[in-house]
Amino acid sequence: MKIMVLLKETADTEAKIEIDPQGKQLSFGAQKPIVNPYDEFAVEAAVSLKEKMGGDTEVIAASYGPATVKDRMMRALAMGADRGALVVAPSGEALDGLALAQVFAALAKKEDVQMIWCGKQAIDDDNMHMVPMLAEKLGWGHVNVVGAMEWNGTDGFTNLAREVDGGQTEHYTAKLPLVLGANKSLNKPRYAPVPKVLQAKKKPFAQLSVEDLGLNMETLLAGVLTEVDSLELPPAKPAGRMVEGETVEAMVSNLVTLLRDEAKVL
Amino acid sequence: MKVVVFVESRDGQLKKASLEALARAYALSGNQDAEVAAVVIGEELSAVVEALKQRGAAKVYTAADVQVKTYHASLYAACLVAAAEDFGAEVVVAMATPMGRDVTARFAAKTDSGLLTDLVDFQVENGVLVGGRKPLYAGKVIAKMKYKGAGKYKVASFRVNTMSVPESLPGAAETVPLTLPQAPLAADFACTQVSSTGVKTVDLSEADIIISGGRSLGGAEKFKILRDCAEVLGAAVGASRAAVDAGFASHDMQVGQTGKTVNPSLYIACGISGAIQHMAGMRTSKIIVAINTDPEAAIFKVADYGLVADLFEAVPCLQAKVQELKQG
Ligand SMILES: Cc1cc2nc3c(=O)[nH]c(=O)nc-3n(C[C@H](O)[C@H](O)[C@H](O)COP(=O)(O)OP(=O)(O)OC[C@H]3O[C@@H](n4cnc5c(N)ncnc54)[C@H](O)[C@@H]3O)c2cc1C
C-alpha cells in the first residue's frame, strides 16, 4: 500500500506581512516559512496508519514548489514518511488550486497510491480546495476535516468523522481509494528527536518536473482559472475606548447603553 | 447574468446562511429574479421551498429523489451540474460554509471552472462577473481575486455575514424537479450518520453575537456563565485555543487561525489576551468588546469597547442588564 501526504509551504503565523508598492508581491520579513500546520496532522495520520498496517506500506511526502521546499519537507521525513517527491515549480508560474490538483492527480497515478492525506486547509489562502478537487480529478471519494478515524484493518475505514458546523459531525464509512483532509482534533503530531531528523536527510528524495508526470506547463497554465489581481492591507481599525465606571456593575451598565445606542447591536 | 445558487437545508429546514447566498445571487444577476435559480437537495423539501419564496429566485431546482439522505459531495456536485446546465448558468454561488466550500470545489473540478472561495464582495463589469475580494493570511491581507482563462462556469463562495439580507425580494421560487443523470454511486462510500454534541448550539460561523472565553475561565464547568449569558443574548459561545487545549471547550468552539473564522455583529472576548492567532479569527467582527483584568492586554487594541474587569463579575452582570433590557 502506498500513502501520499501533501505538504504546502506557508508563511509563519508570526511573520510580519508587507506588500510591495505595486500591490502585487508579499514579503514576510526574516521569519522562515513553515509547513502548513494542518499538514502535520496529515503526516501523523499517514505515519500512524502505516504503523498499524505494517508490511510494505510506504508513505510518500509530496509537494509542489521551488526547490527550497525540500527543507520544509524534511519534517515529514523525520516524522516517519519513507521518501520525498517534490514537483519543482518553474519560477514565476503560479498555479491555482485546480491546476495544482491536476499535478497531484498525475503524481498519485504515477506512484499508484491508494490513499492521499492533506491538511484540511492551508493557513495562507484558507481555501479548502485541494481535498475535493484532487478527489474529483482522480474520480475518488473524499472526506475533508477529518477529526477521528477508525481503520478497518484491510481496505478502508469504518468511521471517518467529518467535523461540520453547529457541533455536528458526519460519520462516513469508506473504502480506498480516498483523499482525506486532516483536522487538528485528529491527532497530535509526533515530536521528531534529533536522530530521526538526521536520518530524514538520508531518505530517498526525488525532484520531478511536471513533464516527468506526463504533463506540460503550457497546458497547465492554460488551466489556471483564477489569479490574484492585487493585494492590500485591511483598513486599520480606529482605536476603541475603555468603558469606565465606579463599579463593575456601572461599567457593564454603561457598556450595554453604548451597545444599544451607539453601536446598535443589541 | 444567470446564476445558480446552492441552498443548504438541514433536517428539512432552510439554513439561515442560504438566504444570504440567495441575496448575493440576486445582486449578481443585476436584480433580476428570473435570472436566479436555487438548488436544494434532500428528502423533505416542502418547508425549505416555502421559505425560498420572495427571496430572489424565480426557480428552485429540487433534488428530492436522490439516493442518499445525508451529504454526499460528488452526488451534490452532480445535482449542481445538472441544474447549471439546465438553467444555462454562467455563475454558480454558495456560502463558504463547510458544505458550501466542499461542494463548490468538487463542482469546479468536475466542470473545469474557476473557483473563488470566501469572497467578501464581488466585481461585475459590463454584466460579467470578473472577481471579488477575499481575506488571505487570516485577514492580515485582502486580495483582489480575478477569474481568467476559459473556465466553464464562474464559481464563488461567499463569507457568511458579509452583506445584510433584505426581508424580502422578488422571486416566486417555482419548483422544477431536477432530473439527474443516473450515475451509480460507489457503494462503498457513504455518510452513515450525523451526530451532534447534544448541546444545541448556534453555528459559530453564522452567529450574530458571540461570547468567547479563554484560559482564564479555569474549567469546563465555568463556561456555564458564558452559556447562560449567551442564552439571554441569543449568542453562540466561542473559545480561545488555550481554553480548548486545556479541555474547557470543544474544538468546534475554537475561534482563530486554527479554529473558526467568525464575523458576527458583536464579539465579546472574556479573559482572552488577544494573541495574533486568536485575532485572526475574529478581527472582522463589526463590534468587539473585551473584558480583561489586564489593562495592557493586546485584545484592547482591537476592541471597540474595553472593560478592565474580572469576567466572573462582569459576565453575570452583563447577563442581568441584557435581561432587563429585553424585558423592556
Ligand atoms: C500555529 C498557532 C495557531 C494558533 N491558533 C489559535 C487559534 O486558532 N485560536 C486561538 O485562540 N489561539 C490560537 N493560538 C494560540 C495563541 O497564540 C494563544 O496562546 C491563545 O489564543 C491564548 O489564549 P487565551 O487568551 O485564552 O490565554 P492567555 O493568553 O493565557 O490569556 C488569558 C487572559 O485572561 C486574562 N484574565 C485572567 N483572569 C481573568 C479574569 N478573572 N477576568 C478577566 N480576564 C482575566 C489575562 O489578563 C489574560 O489576558 C495559536 C498558536 C499557534 C502557534
Side-chain angles (χ1 to χ4, degrees):
Chain A
M1 162 102 60
K2 283 190 190 174
I3 307 176
M4 187 160 92
V5 188
L6 302 186
L7 305 173
K8 182 177 187 182
E9 180 180 85
T10 57
D12 192 297
T13 46
E14 306 279 351
K16 183 158 167 38
I17 301 181
E18 280 174 35
I19 301 174
D20 74 338
Q22 284 72 42
K24 297 286 180 192
Q25 287 286 327
L26 291 176
S27 61
F28 303 96
Q31 292 273 6
K32 263 218 251 164
I34 56 169
V35 174
N36 172 40
Y38 288 110
D39 298 351
E40 296 198 355
F41 305 113
V43 175
E44 180 60 39
V47 171
S48 67
L49 280 167
K50 171 189 150 92
E51 287 164 352
K52 267 203 194 101
M53 292 168 186
D56 55 0
T57 304
E58 195 183 24
V59 175
I60 306 160
S63 187
Y64 174 89
T68 48
V69 173
K70 182 177 177 183
D71 296 346
R72 239 50 68 216
M73 295 171 70
M74 285 302 140
R75 166 91 178 112
L77 298 182
M79 284 174 70
D82 299 287
R83 58 185 169 93
L86 172 61
V87 184
V88 181
S91 63
E93 313 281 25
L95 298 186
D96 65 358
L98 191 55
L100 213 50
Q102 318 254 31
V103 173
F104 289 128
L107 180 61
K109 280 189 202 142
K110 182 179 149 83
E111 290 283 3
D112 193 23
V113 305
Q114 287 84 48
M115 194 192 312
I116 302 175
W117 279 95
C118 312
K120 68 156 180 161
Q121 70 193 75
I123 60 164
D124 46 10
D125 55 24
D126 284 324
N127 275 333
M128 305 183 112
H129 285 174
M130 189 47 67
V131 173
M133 283 182 167
L134 179 53
E136 181 63 35
K137 285 297 167 207
L138 289 164
W140 298 3
H142 83 265
V143 180
N144 199 14
V145 201
V146 174
M149 63 172 177
E150 278 149 51
W151 176 243
N152 73 3
T154 51
D155 62 350
F157 294 87
T158 49
N159 181 31
L160 286 163
R162 163 172 153 83
E163 297 178 343
V164 287
D165 257 353
Q168 288 197 315
T169 306
E170 296 167 357
H171 298 274
Y172 291 80
T173 53
K175 293 244 168 92
L176 301 180
L178 291 167
V179 185
L180 302 168
N183 198 9
K184 174 176 179 275
S185 39
L186 182 59
N187 55 43
K188 262 201 154 49
R190 66 192 66 192
Y191 167 75
V194 175
K196 299 249 185 219
V197 174
L198 294 175
Q199 268 170 28
K201 300 207 168 101
K202 300 201 185 87
K203 288 185 176 175
F205 194 98
Q207 302 210 355
L208 307 148
S209 66
V210 295
E211 284 76 19
D212 294 334
L213 304 175
L215 302 168
N216 86 54
M217 206 59 206
E218 221 168 299
T219 327
L220 274 177
L221 286 173
V224 173
L225 301 175
T226 60
E227 66 181 346
V228 176
D229 185 51
S230 62
L231 299 155
E232 63 198 35
L233 295 174
K237 226 178 139 88
R241 66 157 104 163
M242 300 311 266
V243 180
E244 309 287 342
E246 290 286 308
T247 60
V248 170
E249 193 185 343
M251 265 187 229
V252 172
S253 197
N254 291 338
L255 172 71
V256 170
T257 308
L258 286 166
L259 290 178
R260 187 191 57 194
D261 299 340
E262 189 179 82
K264 298 196 170 30
V265 289
L266 279 186
Chain B
M1 181 183 344
K2 286 198 156 186
V3 186
V4 157
V5 45
F6 174 71
V7 165
E8 289 176 52
S9 70
R10 183 188 282 171
D11 308 325
Q13 296 297 317
L14 182 69
K15 215 171 165 202
K16 184 183 146 228
S18 291
L19 294 179
E20 193 175 337
L22 273 146
R24 282 284 186 198
Y26 180 74
L28 267 166
S29 73
N31 300 345
Q32 307 283 320
D33 61 292
E35 304 267 287
V36 179
V39 181
V40 280
I41 306 162
E43 277 197 313
E44 224 356 284
L45 292 177
S46 48
V48 179
V49 170
E50 198 49 42
L52 289 175
K53 292 198 188 306
Q54 309 308 320
R55 288 296 185 174
K59 244 187 199 184
V60 183
Y61 288 100
T62 54
D65 188 25
V66 289
Q67 307 147 56
V68 291
K69 291 187 189 150
T70 43
Y71 175 59
H72 188 293
S74 60
L75 178 74
Y76 275 42
C79 292
L80 264 185
V81 172
E85 266 173 20
D86 187 76
F87 196 59
E90 294 149 69
V91 176
V92 173
V93 302
M95 292 315 282
T97 55
M99 194 187 286
R101 282 171 179 250
D102 207 58
V103 73
T104 48
R106 194 103 201 186
F107 172 86
K110 211 186 248 311
T111 55
D112 285 318
S113 302
L115 168 62
L116 298 179
T117 292
D118 216 14
L119 295 183
V120 296
D121 61 14
F122 60 79
Q123 271 97 45
V124 171
E125 279 168 22
N126 305 320
V128 176
L129 175 63
V130 293
R133 293 187 310 147
K134 73 165 273 165
L136 296 181
Y137 298 94
K140 285 189 259 181
V141 175
I142 306 293
K144 203 169 155 197
M145 303 297 299
K146 274 197 159 162
Y147 296 102
K148 64 185 275 195
K152 174 137 194 195
Y153 301 104
K154 286 169 177 166
V155 191
S157 70
F158 288 94
R159 180 173 278 213
V160 180
N161 283 346
T162 47
M163 77 174 284
S164 57
V165 180
E167 273 306 313
S168 100
L169 291 168
E174 233 166 89
T175 34
V176 186
L178 199 59
T179 8
L180 274 183
Q182 278 305 310
L185 285 180
D188 46 17
F189 180 94
C191 172
T192 50
Q193 189 206 339
V194 180
S195 67
S196 187
T197 47
V199 196
K200 185 109 182 78
T201 52
V202 185
D203 284 3
L204 268 187
S205 48
E206 278 190 26
D208 203 39
I209 303 180
I210 294 173
I211 180 163
S212 279
R215 190 201 309 270
S216 52
L217 262 293
E221 70 292 346
K222 301 284 176 51
F223 262 79
K224 183 168 186 307
I225 69 162
L226 298 188
R227 281 197 301 273
D228 290 347
C229 188
E231 202 169 306
V232 174
L233 279 164
V237 179
S240 74
R241 170 159 155 189
V244 172
D245 286 352
F248 305 164
S250 60
H251 180 251
D252 65 348
M253 290 165 69
Q254 183 179 318
V255 172
Q257 175 128 33
T258 47
K260 297 226 159 73
T261 304
V262 298
N263 208 17
S265 335
L266 174 60
Y267 187 90
I268 308 173
C270 307
I272 290 178
S273 58
I276 186 150
Q277 295 89 353
H278 186 80
M279 303 221 266
M282 44 65 83
R283 84 166 88 225
T284 58
S285 306
K286 196 170 144 226
I287 298 289
I288 296 169
V289 171
I291 302 174
N292 199 304
T293 42
D294 174 9
E296 303 296 320
I299 190 80
F300 287 126
K301 291 205 197 88
V302 298
D304 299 274
Y305 303 110
L307 271 72
V308 179
D310 184 336
L311 75 94
F312 293 104
E313 209 180 325
V315 173
C317 201
L318 177 64
Q319 181 185 334
K321 297 278 173 210
V322 173
Q323 187 112 47
E324 269 171 39
L325 185 75
K326 296 231 156 143
Q327 283 162 353

